[in-house]
Amino acid sequence: MTAARRAAAIATTLLLGACQSYQSTFSDAAVEVHNFNILFVIFLAVCAAMYVLVIAFLIAGIVRRRRAGDALVMETGRHHESHPLMRTGLIAWGTLVTVGLIALALASFVGDRSMASAAAHERLSITITANQWWWDVQYNSSDVSKTLRTANELHLPVGVPVRIILHSNDVVHSFWVPSLAGKQDLIPGRENDITIVPTKIGIYRGQCAEYCGTQHAHMALVVDVDSQADFLKWWQHQLQPAPPPRTPLALAGYNYVTNRECAMCHNIAGTPASARVGPDLTHFASRRTIAAGTLPMGKGNLYGWVEDPQSVKPGTKMPTIGLQPNDLHAVVAYLETLK
Amino acid sequence: MRHGRRQLGLISAVIVPASIPVSAQSTLAQPHAISAASAAPQDNGNWEMPGKNYASTRFSAMRQITPANVRKLGLAFTFSTATTHGYEAPPLVVGGTMYLITPFPNYLYALDLTKRGAPTKWVFKPKPVAASQGVACCDVVNRGAVYDKGRIFFNTLDGQTFAVDAGSGKMIWRTRLGNIQKGETITMAPLVAAGKVLVGNAGGEMGVRGWIAALDEGSGKIAWKAFNTGPDRDVLIGPRFKPPYPSDRGRDLGVKTWPPEAWKIGGATVWGWISYDPKLGLIYYGTSNPGPWNPDQRPGDNKWSTGVFARDVNTGQAVWYYQSSPHDLFDHDDINEIILADIPWGNSRRPVMLRPARNGYFYVQDRRTGQVLSATPYGYINSSRGVDLRSGRLIPVAEKEPKQGRVTRNICPAAPGAKDWNPAAFSPATGLVYIPHLNLCMDEGALEANYIAGTPYVGADVKMYAGPGGNRGVFTAWDPVRRRKVFEIKEDLPLWSPALATAGGVVFYGTMDGWFKAIDATNGRLLWRFKTGSGIIGQPISYRGPDGRQYIAVVAGVGGWAGAIVSGKLDPRDPTAALGFVNAVKDLPKKTTAGGMLYVFALPR
Amino acid sequence: MSSRFRVSCIAIGVAALALTACDREERHNRAKPLGETVPAGESPDTIYPGSGVPPPLDARAAMYDNNAPAIAQGQWLYTQMNCVGCHSHGGGGMGPPLMDDEWRYGGRIDQIAATIAEGRPNGMPAWRGKLTQDQIWQLAAYVRSLSGQPSKDAVSSRPDEMSGPEPETLTAREPQKQSDAAEQ
């Protein structure tokens, strides 16, 4: 393959890859990212036009270079015959630049104001607390007994402005769901917020966008945008405590989970395990991924994760306990019941 | 106390229709507060329950010791309890015998007062589990035993209640009520009322679910048990429940005012005092802080924490409830003593309760309904703006709210409040409440608390220090009818000892560096003092000895939350130690040492 | 000496110097978990009946005692597992202080690890089976830093919470004496 063909192949792959929409800034799934994209196009158009003109003039200048004598003439400035063109050119250029800048400023202002007005009346408030290396998601409610705490997955109702309050428990992280909105940092000791108005039902992927330690790369967030009715149904379901274990194996798993290491860090509503250091596991099996997007949910992955998290996500806070095979079977069986 | 005066204006403005300037309108013989007659019977010279009587007046009717002769008070005898942790209990005196209950290991001594030198009659050793020391938040104290019908009842740190024969010292029954694996202990003094022994648990800092239980006096079996969080059927809230304010009315508020499941580890324990009105048949007690201290983890009012319950003594059914600090932000438990009094009201008297509470307000409430008649600051407060008497709610100051991940500075009063557990005394002779209390402020940083059963569930870094004025303690004589201070004595160290009032016109209290003081009940003039071997945090009592003389007794043994730096040998280089108290009393180890010595004083023959 | 040879010498010297810091920063993500038990640490007394020769120190002491990641992880666990609730930031409270030189049950890292794993009769909970050995030793390494024992380049230079005592990089080393069992 020639060098040119190779370059073309790479370029095509990259371009096509950018078109996938579950984690793409070019998607159209929320008011914020929609506005960003319009702004992007305007900026791209204006700046590209200016760029092309500048390059054109530069090339013209290089190609049509003057002879040595004329340079002297220019400096004395007494020959005006060549200048009308220069004057009109400069005026035109100045006008172009001014118009371009005004266009950019206007576009920026209008885009920002429209995002602000879309986000003005939030109807849902979510608090996300970032930890190393997982997302603690709490859905707030005016009825406090309906507040919901889950982890690593965000469910949003379509068309509803959602205000996400951002905290951090340790270091600086950054909340970034490219398909929905831009980045916003989570800074320890400070409360930031971001408002999103999703407009398209679908599943999107977000990730931490600020280096936060060894496993920064494995700190993803799955965002599920549902219809409003489905969202409320999901919330209702998530409020239910974990069902009691029904099989002997699950019961053995329940006993292990609530009496041993697991209960030191995890919360499973309806059981004695009420710790908050690690992700809430009450409806763990209903999530799509394990360990903040590191592995897809599934039996084999669960076995691997529970037995040796340090191999999957080295340095993570969950220790490798070294479960005996019977305990491992039991724990995974119980975890699978937490739908 | 600028805030106090401003506050006074607000409260007066709201309750002018109900409040009466006493001297102008009352035609009563005594135009001041007197003890509730049904709950404070004639003094028989004994001291049979920690509050002296069901009205919790801590007032002795004996008048042999007066301001004129108290300077002649001398030691009659002493006794070493062989323990060196905080001693918070009063000695009991019944029928020529004195009973002492010690902090862990909770020995019960009986001393024979009829013989010279008060020799020991017997010792009862309940042998509580040593591991319970690891789940007791604030030193391994015991707040007292109680005598009734020939038996002594007391609680042990590991959650048991004992009934011991007062004559022989033999155990009659014991009942296990608390589970240390969940972080529960019992430190409070029980109350015996209407044939029931009332006991409550401790552990608001350990994520414990609070309750109060009534045991049958004869058998020790549980007659009823009421939780203080959770669904109405657990809290024994039924048709009789008529709270005075709208925010306490509703179904299952003990669940609805918490995030899901948080009420199960929500605190609201009963580690303080219980009073009883035999005429109304109601017991009154307060509940502790909600858990954890970090308020961001428990949005909502967090019922039924930091409030006062009135319950029917026979069935435990709740009759009314008032929440002094909804969604408590500062660990302002409401377990302080509840003094039952009758105050002038028009041409008669209104049955009320007087409560100097942790949040800094002196509450006067009608004890039949719970309605707040007045809530006046008796210490410096900048964390709240007052109590709205129409809704009954405390008005918080938003800037002082602890937020997770931040440090909030200069919160007054600090976590132990304007006054902690150490009870005031009420003198029906002068009508004044004698309050030994604190002047402390704090910085608090809230963090996410992790719940692991049997370990602390707090979520706060605290540093306490002296409040405005620089004195860490203050002794106030408070007029509950006129709602103001009559006199005040500033003390360098925090006051962690209860007070004793006597009809002779002398009031007694102790300081944390061991000075046992006698002051004039009318003007606070220091009349006499004695330096004991250890700081005093225990209840002084007055009794009539077998020889007819008036004796004053107190056990000196520093400790408790305030004295933990000495009793626990903590390190003053960490200001957050002992939940922040160490920073406020870094100088205490130089001023006193641990001990556990009984001192009994009398006038010379 | 030719200049190239000199340059190589310097390069080797610098590399050797750089490598000396490796031990302090070595992470053991998958410290051996299976089948280990912390030997019930020797009693704090220092009488060894018979020969009087003390047993050899546990091999893990070297792995954890001056190890920066272990101390950092121990600091995180100290708050999350509620050690701070009883022992505050070393000053004590419900539990005894950890920043002074009095150790009821011994102040060597293996003795502290044994205390954490076994629990102690006057109220220290037993964490065996609730924390892994790796976590227990990390906690023990951090506890030692509260009294200034590890070298100052391995300890944390700032606390995670509101300032309590001074940071561990400034903490003077408390003397490690033959620990006598302090009275209860």
Side-chain angles (χ1 to χ4, degrees), chain A residues 311-334:
Chain A
S311 286
V312 179
K313 202 167 165 178
T316 192
K317 307 284 187 192
M318 176 159 158
T320 290
I321 300 168
L323 291 171
Q324 299 296 331
N326 287 341
D327 291 330
L328 181 61
H329 285 301
V331 167
V332 173
Y334 178 64

mmCIF file of all heavy atoms in Angstrom, chain A residues 311-334:
data_model
loop_
_atom_site.group_PDB
_atom_site.id
_atom_site.type_symbol
_atom_site.label_atom_id
_atom_site.label_comp_id
_atom_site.label_asym_id
_atom_site.label_seq_id
_atom_site.Cartn_x
_atom_site.Cartn_y
_atom_site.Cartn_z
ATOM 1 N N SER A 311 -6.595 -7.343 39.595
ATOM 2 C CA SER A 311 -6.111 -7.689 38.252
ATOM 3 C C SER A 311 -6.854 -6.897 37.201
ATOM 4 O O SER A 311 -6.297 -6.538 36.174
ATOM 5 C CB SER A 311 -6.343 -9.174 37.971
ATOM 6 O OG SER A 311 -5.445 -9.934 38.687
ATOM 7 N N VAL A 312 -8.125 -6.647 37.431
ATOM 8 C CA VAL A 312 -8.938 -5.941 36.459
ATOM 9 C C VAL A 312 -8.639 -4.451 36.500
ATOM 10 O O VAL A 312 -8.521 -3.795 35.476
ATOM 11 C CB VAL A 312 -10.431 -6.173 36.784
ATOM 12 C CG1 VAL A 312 -11.300 -5.424 35.812
ATOM 13 C CG2 VAL A 312 -10.747 -7.655 36.763
ATOM 14 N N LYS A 313 -8.520 -3.919 37.706
ATOM 15 C CA LYS A 313 -8.404 -2.472 37.896
ATOM 16 C C LYS A 313 -7.355 -2.255 38.974
ATOM 17 O O LYS A 313 -7.670 -1.946 40.123
ATOM 18 C CB LYS A 313 -9.776 -1.950 38.346
ATOM 19 C CG LYS A 313 -10.033 -0.490 38.111
ATOM 20 C CD LYS A 313 -11.546 -0.186 38.300
ATOM 21 C CE LYS A 313 -11.790 1.298 38.423
ATOM 22 N NZ LYS A 313 -13.202 1.643 38.553
ATOM 23 N N PRO A 314 -6.080 -2.430 38.627
ATOM 24 C CA PRO A 314 -5.033 -2.415 39.654
ATOM 25 C C PRO A 314 -4.995 -1.092 40.399
ATOM 26 O O PRO A 314 -5.030 -0.020 39.796
ATOM 27 C CB PRO A 314 -3.735 -2.607 38.856
ATOM 28 C CG PRO A 314 -4.125 -3.014 37.508
ATOM 29 C CD PRO A 314 -5.531 -2.630 37.284
ATOM 30 N N GLY A 315 -4.905 -1.175 41.712
ATOM 31 C CA GLY A 315 -4.857 0.043 42.503
ATOM 32 C C GLY A 315 -6.210 0.505 42.973
ATOM 33 O O GLY A 315 -6.304 1.441 43.767
ATOM 34 N N THR A 316 -7.289 -0.164 42.532
ATOM 35 C CA THR A 316 -8.609 0.264 42.982
ATOM 36 C C THR A 316 -8.749 0.000 44.473
ATOM 37 O O THR A 316 -8.018 -0.794 45.058
ATOM 38 C CB THR A 316 -9.701 -0.467 42.173
ATOM 39 O OG1 THR A 316 -10.944 0.158 42.421
ATOM 40 C CG2 THR A 316 -9.792 -1.920 42.562
ATOM 41 N N LYS A 317 -9.713 0.671 45.086
ATOM 42 C CA LYS A 317 -9.832 0.569 46.543
ATOM 43 C C LYS A 317 -10.414 -0.764 46.991
ATOM 44 O O LYS A 317 -10.294 -1.121 48.158
ATOM 45 C CB LYS A 317 -10.742 1.693 47.077
ATOM 46 C CG LYS A 317 -10.340 3.069 46.648
ATOM 47 C CD LYS A 317 -9.158 3.586 47.406
ATOM 48 C CE LYS A 317 -8.904 5.037 47.057
ATOM 49 N NZ LYS A 317 -7.646 5.541 47.517
ATOM 50 N N MET A 318 -11.065 -1.460 46.104
ATOM 51 C CA MET A 318 -11.630 -2.756 46.497
ATOM 52 C C MET A 318 -10.510 -3.778 46.541
ATOM 53 O O MET A 318 -9.819 -3.981 45.543
ATOM 54 C CB MET A 318 -12.711 -3.190 45.512
ATOM 55 C CG MET A 318 -13.297 -4.552 45.776
ATOM 56 S SD MET A 318 -14.905 -4.727 45.012
ATOM 57 C CE MET A 318 -15.042 -6.497 44.908
ATOM 58 N N PRO A 319 -10.304 -4.426 47.696
ATOM 59 C CA PRO A 319 -9.147 -5.316 47.820
ATOM 60 C C PRO A 319 -9.406 -6.674 47.193
ATOM 61 O O PRO A 319 -10.540 -7.101 47.026
ATOM 62 C CB PRO A 319 -8.999 -5.452 49.342
ATOM 63 C CG PRO A 319 -10.373 -5.305 49.861
ATOM 64 C CD PRO A 319 -11.095 -4.359 48.946
ATOM 65 N N THR A 320 -8.323 -7.346 46.851
ATOM 66 C CA THR A 320 -8.415 -8.746 46.441
ATOM 67 C C THR A 320 -8.440 -9.576 47.705
ATOM 68 O O THR A 320 -7.457 -9.635 48.433
ATOM 69 C CB THR A 320 -7.209 -9.122 45.571
ATOM 70 O OG1 THR A 320 -7.346 -8.445 44.330
ATOM 71 C CG2 THR A 320 -7.146 -10.610 45.340
ATOM 72 N N ILE A 321 -9.605 -10.150 48.000
ATOM 73 C CA ILE A 321 -9.743 -10.895 49.241
ATOM 74 C C ILE A 321 -9.162 -12.291 49.102
ATOM 75 O O ILE A 321 -8.605 -12.842 50.027
ATOM 76 C CB ILE A 321 -11.220 -10.984 49.643
ATOM 77 C CG1 ILE A 321 -11.776 -9.571 49.843
ATOM 78 C CG2 ILE A 321 -11.406 -11.821 50.878
ATOM 79 C CD1 ILE A 321 -13.265 -9.531 49.964
ATOM 80 N N GLY A 322 -9.328 -12.853 47.927
ATOM 81 C CA GLY A 322 -8.898 -14.237 47.750
ATOM 82 C C GLY A 322 -9.954 -15.187 48.272
ATOM 83 O O GLY A 322 -9.705 -16.024 49.122
ATOM 84 N N LEU A 323 -11.185 -15.058 47.741
ATOM 85 C CA LEU A 323 -12.283 -15.886 48.227
ATOM 86 C C LEU A 323 -12.049 -17.348 47.887
ATOM 87 O O LEU A 323 -11.514 -17.673 46.837
ATOM 88 C CB LEU A 323 -13.588 -15.438 47.562
ATOM 89 C CG LEU A 323 -14.112 -14.068 47.974
ATOM 90 C CD1 LEU A 323 -15.273 -13.676 47.072
ATOM 91 C CD2 LEU A 323 -14.584 -14.118 49.410
ATOM 92 N N GLN A 324 -12.465 -18.180 48.820
ATOM 93 C CA GLN A 324 -12.490 -19.617 48.533
ATOM 94 C C GLN A 324 -13.562 -19.881 47.479
ATOM 95 O O GLN A 324 -14.536 -19.139 47.401
ATOM 96 C CB GLN A 324 -12.820 -20.386 49.810
ATOM 97 C CG GLN A 324 -11.815 -20.196 50.915
ATOM 98 C CD GLN A 324 -10.454 -20.736 50.527
ATOM 99 O OE1 GLN A 324 -10.346 -21.674 49.737
ATOM 100 N NE2 GLN A 324 -9.414 -20.132 51.068
ATOM 101 N N PRO A 325 -13.395 -20.917 46.680
ATOM 102 C CA PRO A 325 -14.345 -21.155 45.578
ATOM 103 C C PRO A 325 -15.806 -21.211 46.029
ATOM 104 O O PRO A 325 -16.667 -20.643 45.366
ATOM 105 C CB PRO A 325 -13.889 -22.507 45.016
ATOM 106 C CG PRO A 325 -12.449 -22.602 45.368
ATOM 107 C CD PRO A 325 -12.263 -21.850 46.652
ATOM 108 N N ASN A 326 -16.082 -21.869 47.151
ATOM 109 C CA ASN A 326 -17.485 -21.937 47.588
ATOM 110 C C ASN A 326 -18.038 -20.567 47.900
ATOM 111 O O ASN A 326 -19.158 -20.239 47.532
ATOM 112 C CB ASN A 326 -17.599 -22.811 48.846
ATOM 113 C CG ASN A 326 -17.432 -24.269 48.527
ATOM 114 O OD1 ASN A 326 -17.572 -24.665 47.369
ATOM 115 N ND2 ASN A 326 -17.146 -25.069 49.538
ATOM 116 N N ASP A 327 -17.226 -19.762 48.580
ATOM 117 C CA ASP A 327 -17.678 -18.417 48.902
ATOM 118 C C ASP A 327 -17.891 -17.605 47.636
ATOM 119 O O ASP A 327 -18.829 -16.826 47.526
ATOM 120 C CB ASP A 327 -16.648 -17.716 49.801
ATOM 121 C CG ASP A 327 -16.586 -18.332 51.183
ATOM 122 O OD1 ASP A 327 -17.631 -18.839 51.637
ATOM 123 O OD2 ASP A 327 -15.506 -18.310 51.798
ATOM 124 N N LEU A 328 -17.003 -17.807 46.672
ATOM 125 C CA LEU A 328 -17.116 -17.040 45.432
ATOM 126 C C LEU A 328 -18.416 -17.369 44.712
ATOM 127 O O LEU A 328 -19.150 -16.475 44.279
ATOM 128 C CB LEU A 328 -15.913 -17.347 44.538
ATOM 129 C CG LEU A 328 -15.877 -16.609 43.200
ATOM 130 C CD1 LEU A 328 -15.836 -15.116 43.438
ATOM 131 C CD2 LEU A 328 -14.655 -17.055 42.399
ATOM 132 N N HIS A 329 -18.714 -18.674 44.612
ATOM 133 C CA HIS A 329 -19.983 -19.066 43.968
ATOM 134 C C HIS A 329 -21.156 -18.433 44.688
ATOM 135 O O HIS A 329 -22.096 -17.931 44.058
ATOM 136 C CB HIS A 329 -20.137 -20.596 43.994
ATOM 137 C CG HIS A 329 -19.261 -21.304 43.003
ATOM 138 N ND1 HIS A 329 -19.329 -21.071 41.662
ATOM 139 C CD2 HIS A 329 -18.301 -22.252 43.183
ATOM 140 C CE1 HIS A 329 -18.437 -21.826 41.028
ATOM 141 N NE2 HIS A 329 -17.802 -22.555 41.925
ATOM 142 N N ALA A 330 -21.093 -18.492 46.006
ATOM 143 C CA ALA A 330 -22.232 -17.985 46.785
ATOM 144 C C ALA A 330 -22.387 -16.484 46.606
ATOM 145 O O ALA A 330 -23.491 -15.972 46.382
ATOM 146 C CB ALA A 330 -22.026 -18.326 48.269
ATOM 147 N N VAL A 331 -21.270 -15.761 46.700
ATOM 148 C CA VAL A 331 -21.351 -14.298 46.608
ATOM 149 C C VAL A 331 -21.873 -13.880 45.237
ATOM 150 O O VAL A 331 -22.753 -13.022 45.125
ATOM 151 C CB VAL A 331 -19.972 -13.660 46.888
ATOM 152 C CG1 VAL A 331 -19.968 -12.203 46.499
ATOM 153 C CG2 VAL A 331 -19.620 -13.806 48.353
ATOM 154 N N VAL A 332 -21.364 -14.501 44.188
ATOM 155 C CA VAL A 332 -21.827 -14.112 42.849
ATOM 156 C C VAL A 332 -23.294 -14.473 42.674
ATOM 157 O O VAL A 332 -24.070 -13.705 42.090
ATOM 158 C CB VAL A 332 -20.953 -14.769 41.768
ATOM 159 C CG1 VAL A 332 -21.538 -14.514 40.389
ATOM 160 C CG2 VAL A 332 -19.542 -14.207 41.820
ATOM 161 N N ALA A 333 -23.682 -15.630 43.206
ATOM 162 C CA ALA A 333 -25.099 -15.998 43.108
ATOM 163 C C ALA A 333 -25.964 -14.954 43.792
ATOM 164 O O ALA A 333 -27.013 -14.557 43.269
ATOM 165 C CB ALA A 333 -25.314 -17.375 43.745
ATOM 166 N N TYR A 334 -25.530 -14.482 44.948
ATOM 167 C CA TYR A 334 -26.330 -13.472 45.642
ATOM 168 C C TYR A 334 -26.326 -12.156 44.883
ATOM 169 O O TYR A 334 -27.361 -11.510 44.740
ATOM 170 C CB TYR A 334 -25.813 -13.262 47.076
ATOM 171 C CG TYR A 334 -26.585 -12.190 47.791
ATOM 172 C CD1 TYR A 334 -27.946 -12.337 48.058
ATOM 173 C CD2 TYR A 334 -25.973 -11.005 48.178
ATOM 174 C CE1 TYR A 334 -28.665 -11.347 48.688
ATOM 175 C CE2 TYR A 334 -26.691 -10.008 48.810
ATOM 176 C CZ TYR A 334 -28.028 -10.187 49.065
ATOM 177 O OH TYR A 334 -28.751 -9.189 49.681
#
